[in-house]
Amino acid sequence: DAMVIQNPRYQVTQFGKPVTLSCSQTLNHNVMYWYQQKSSQAPKLLFHYYDKDFNNEADTPDNFQSRRPNTSFCFLDIRSPGLGDAAMYLCATSRDGGVGTDTQYFGPGTRLTVL
Amino acid sequence: AQKVTQAQTEISVVEKEDVTLDCVYETRDTTYYLFWYKQPPSGELVFLIRRNSFDEQNEISGRYSWNFQKSTSSFNFTITASQVVDSAVYFCALSGGGADGLTFGKGTHLIIQP
């Protein structure tokens, strides 16, 4: 049974055309994360939500935004994708921020291509 | 600042050989968590293990074992009797706990040849 679901698995967009990636979870976890992973590199955290509280990493470009309308869903919006934004985007969840409950579970990722 | 170093970019071994993936970390936190994830070609990061900084016991799970040594800031991963299905990129990661993101190493690409 899928626990962290990402749609679509592959997304093609045009340079400058806004795109939205979707993540949903069936784990009822409080925390949801978005990572960007470029080819042959480690995943890099963009931002995360602790419940409704949004936490942006300092070096995340303004071009990247996120929404979390409810516990189950989280969206990644790229307002004006550039060629450098082509990457795998990984969504992850963790139960909460308490000690001993920090394991993050990842979805299958969405591979974004920018033409 | 936290840092994770996986010095081995790629390892290639023949099936049934044992292989160890190295991980060295840096952190100023007194409480922290270490992880290993497997990323097969499909792309999904598969959780393998989590270790708390105050628990230095080594762990074995089937053909997998982990050696955590705070004295050398290392958390190495050994696969015994490797199989072709073990071929993947393996990431070591560090978290300070709380709702923190993970700091990943650059990954080790493990190739198991039949």
Side-chain angles (χ1 to χ4, degrees), chain B residues 35-105:
Chain B
F35 302 81
W36 276 94
Y37 284 87
K38 175 183 180 180
Q39 189 173 42
S42 60
E44 181 173 358
L45 278 165
V46 178
F47 166 73
L48 296 178
I49 189 171
R50 177 182 59 126
R51 215 62 181 137
N52 303 326
S53 55
F54 42 86
D55 181 1
E56 286 193 72
Q57 281 191 339
N58 293 327
E59 184 158 337
I60 298 174
S61 176
R63 296 184 296 107
Y64 295 170
S65 62
W66 291 269
N67 185 340
F68 176 31
Q69 292 194 349
K70 285 180 77 170
S71 61
T72 55
S73 298
S74 65
F75 186 44
N76 296 336
F77 173 33
T78 297
I79 302 175
T80 302
S82 60
Q83 300 176 3
V84 173
V85 293
D86 296 327
S87 297
V89 179
Y90 290 85
F91 288 98
C92 180
L94 171 67
S95 168
D100 291 342
L102 293 166
T103 299
F104 284 89

Side-chain angles (χ1 to χ4, degrees), chain A:
Chain A
D1 291 338
M3 296 185 291
V4 183
I5 303 160
Q6 291 190 243
N7 286 307
R9 293 293 309 278
Y10 300 90
Q11 176 73 55
V12 180
T13 190
Q14 293 180 339
F15 183 94
K17 184 175 181 180
V19 64
T20 294
L21 309 183
S22 167
C23 177
S24 63
Q25 53 132 338
T26 60
L27 298 164
N28 204 33
H29 282 176
N30 286 329
V31 193
M32 296 187 76
Y33 309 79
W34 280 104
Y35 289 83
Q36 178 193 62
Q37 186 181 20
K38 295 188 176 180
S39 181
S40 301
Q41 295 185 21
K44 179 180 179 300
L45 181 66
L46 295 174
F47 27 57
H48 72 272
Y49 273 94
Y50 189 106
D51 196 12
K52 296 180 181 179
D53 293 333
F54 178 69
N55 297 272
N56 198 27
E57 293 299 297
D59 56 354
T60 298
D62 293 339
N63 196 27
F64 292 87
Q65 303 288 322
S66 186
R67 296 170 284 133
R68 189 179 186 186
N70 54 53
T71 300
S72 299
F73 285 87
C74 194
F75 300 99
L76 169 62
D77 301 309
I78 308 176
R79 293 191 295 187
S80 181
L83 298 179
D85 297 327
M88 174 77 89
Y89 289 89
L90 296 162
C91 175
T93 74
S94 64
R95 192 166 67 188
D96 61 35
V99 172
T101 58
D102 298 307
T103 299
Q104 295 184 23
Y105 296 94
F106 285 80
T110 294
R111 187 170 297 281
L112 177 68
T113 300
V114 181
L115 300 177

